[in-house]
Amino acid sequence: MVAFASVAQAGGGRSNLRDYAQKRNFLIGTCVDMRAFYKDAAYTAILAREFNALVAENAFKQKAVWTGPHTYNFKDTDALVDFAQKHKMKIRGHCLVWHHEVPQWLKEGHYSGKEVNDLLKDYITAFVSRYKGKVDQWDVVNEAIDDKTFGLRLDSFWFQKLGPEYLSLAFQWAHKADPKAKLYYNEYSAEDMGKKSETVYGLLADLMKNKIPVSGVGWQCHILEQGWRTSEDMTKNAKRLGKLGLEIMVTELDVSIKLPTTKEKLLEQAQCYRDMMDFCLKTPQVKGLLMWGFTDAHSWIPSFQPGKGDALIFDKDYQPKPAYQAMLEELAKGKNKK
Ligand code: XIL
């Protein structure tokens, strides 16, 4: 057991998530809000101290990077990659293709399928090559599956312009640009053995059968349910994906609280984080856990889930919450990863 006092003094160089994760050969990380990144030294100090992996909350998305046909803005992506390198952290590139983030100029540009194909190829090639050997993992495709039909999203710009081939093409282009980078398919609500994870499994099995270079599946894990715990189904799903030759990352964990927050709710939240960390450490296919932020001062939850909040492991004043302590304890006692 690590005393809570020592955690509270983590700034003084005592226990921290990163050191334990490093020993376990495990990735522990968070997404980064670039506004806080640029102007808040306390924010970046915690990033470097607590985590060995980073992902941008929005800065790697198409709407941020892809300014026009064959023109790109790499200011924020450069800044984050430089920071990660300076602090010897891994970086995930999130995400190359997502129906939700198609730039306006592209959507409204009346481009033909062939033109969109060439534009996307150039975008992926330029982006992935720029960070060859620096960005360790890419979410190549994000959220391609429809929640109602459990098939591919037919209303996705990418599907409409390129057909179902867009997934294999994107993975192949990314692989060509950096053959050593790990390439992921990232999805939400596909962790257990339900209909959606069945579709993800089928999709990935197909890609693997066709020798498309996919390395893993990202499980977003935005937990909205009070009392949520990991399940046997998650282990089963991890195993079947593992059998395809795939690894898994928890990519966007947060555990929302129905406001107002109470001490009991914080303890219950800590149990979720503890359980998830325990699951990740004991499941061989899972290589790391990234949260969708680390401080309640910067989280997407209050604006996307009205009435909910306080979903992360540090409070708004950057003080560690019981969830932080729970993760630290699990990391301290967990087994090393291969
Ligand atoms: C969210 C960001 O947190 C918001 O700031 C943005 O407005 C919308 O996107 N799944 C994902 C992430 O893959 O990229 C999303 O991030 C959260 C859900």
Side-chain angles (χ1 to χ4, degrees):
M1 279 275 284
V2 182
F4 192 75
S6 73
V7 176
Q9 293 155 9
R14 306 283 287 273
S15 310
N16 61 71
L17 300 173
R18 179 180 182 150
D19 287 348
Y20 284 121
Q22 206 69 29
K23 279 190 209 133
R24 306 255 166 275
N25 193 25
F26 186 69
L27 293 177
I28 181 80
T30 174
C31 80
V32 178
D33 174 336
M34 293 310 285
R35 279 163 305 178
F37 177 86
Y38 284 124
K39 65 168 205 265
D40 186 349
Y43 183 91
T44 46
I46 296 178
L47 284 182
R49 187 183 78 219
E50 297 290 340
F51 304 107
N52 59 9
L54 295 178
V55 60
E57 182 168 10
N58 291 307
F60 275 61
K61 291 176 182 168
Q62 287 187 353
K63 276 188 183 162
V65 174
W66 205 354
T67 47
H70 312 288
T71 61
Y72 312 115
N73 175 4
F74 291 121
K75 176 181 164 284
D76 289 351
T77 51
D78 278 355
L80 200 59
V81 170
D82 286 350
F83 181 88
Q85 292 224 295
K86 186 168 159 220
H87 296 282
K88 301 193 168 32
M89 305 162 100
K90 300 280 185 200
I91 188 150
R92 306 192 80 246
H94 170 85
C95 44
L96 292 171
V97 183
W98 188 20
H99 66 282
H100 196 263
E101 276 285 327
V102 185
Q104 217 57 27
W105 63 263
L106 180 57
K107 244 191 214 167
E108 290 166 4
H110 305 290
Y111 292 102
S112 68
K114 167 82 176 89
E115 285 168 326
V116 171
N117 179 92
D118 296 349
L119 284 165
L120 183 64
K121 182 177 182 189
D122 187 71
Y123 173 73
I124 291 180
T125 306
F127 201 174
V128 177
S129 328
R130 184 177 184 90
Y131 301 117
K132 186 175 177 187
K134 293 182 178 172
V135 168
D136 305 278
Q137 306 183 353
W138 289 92
D139 282 336
V140 177
V141 179
N142 195 31
E143 302 179 354
I145 291 162
D146 190 309
D147 286 311
K148 291 194 194 81
T149 63
F150 299 108
L152 288 177
R153 288 178 193 267
L154 304 182
D155 55 356
S156 154
F157 174 83
W158 304 112
F159 185 92
Q160 296 199 343
K161 289 290 181 181
L162 306 175
E165 301 309 305
Y166 83 87
L167 288 110
S168 351
L169 288 171
F171 278 99
Q172 284 169 308
W173 292 330
H175 181 67
K176 190 146 189 248
D178 186 355
K180 289 198 179 136
K182 288 194 169 169
L183 304 182
Y184 270 70
Y185 174 75
N186 195 49
E187 189 55 91
Y188 64 87
S189 302
E191 298 89 28
D192 57 18
M193 293 293 280
K195 278 190 180 164
K196 193 156 178 193
S197 65
E198 194 64 42
T199 314
V200 171
Y201 177 76
L203 178 71
L204 270 295
D206 220 40
L207 292 172
M208 297 305 275
K209 199 177 88 201
N210 291 316
K211 306 244 175 307
I212 303 300
V214 188
S215 327
V217 179
W219 289 354
Q220 293 187 9
C221 300
H222 294 289
I223 313 292
L224 300 168
E225 218 181 293
Q226 191 85 14
W228 178 90
R229 294 291 183 272
T230 57
S231 63
E232 260 310 297
D233 269 7
M234 286 171 67
T235 309
K236 273 192 206 154
N237 194 22
K239 275 193 188 147
R240 69 174 173 175
L241 291 169
K243 278 198 189 132
L244 291 178
L246 296 165
E247 57 179 46
I248 293 169
M249 290 282 297
V250 170
T251 52
E252 306 184 14
L253 176 65
D254 49 19
V255 180
S256 304
I257 286 180
K258 190 166 180 289
L259 302 173
T261 299
T262 60
K263 199 171 157 225
E264 288 68 36
K265 290 181 191 173
L266 288 174
L267 293 175
E268 167 48 39
Q269 177 185 55
Q271 281 302 114
C272 286
Y273 275 100
R274 178 187 297 283
D275 192 46
M276 184 61 110
M277 181 56 88
D278 171 57
F279 171 83
C280 289
L281 291 173
K282 72 184 184 208
T283 307
Q285 292 81 13
V286 182
K287 305 300 176 194
L289 182 164
L290 276 77
M291 290 163 278
W292 211 237
F294 66 89
T295 160
D296 294 333
H298 303 284
S299 162
W300 73 310
I301 293 296
S303 38
F304 282 78
Q305 298 284 336
K308 298 206 167 177
D310 293 342
L312 298 168
I313 61 171
F314 286 81
D315 69 13
K316 291 194 173 72
D317 301 316
Y318 299 168
Q319 293 305 304
K321 292 161 63 179
Y324 173 93
Q325 172 68 5
M327 299 248 281
L328 194 67
E329 285 173 8
E330 290 305 312
L331 269 172
K333 71 179 194 209
K335 287 212 183 79
N336 291 355
K337 289 273 177 182
K338 288 206 181 94

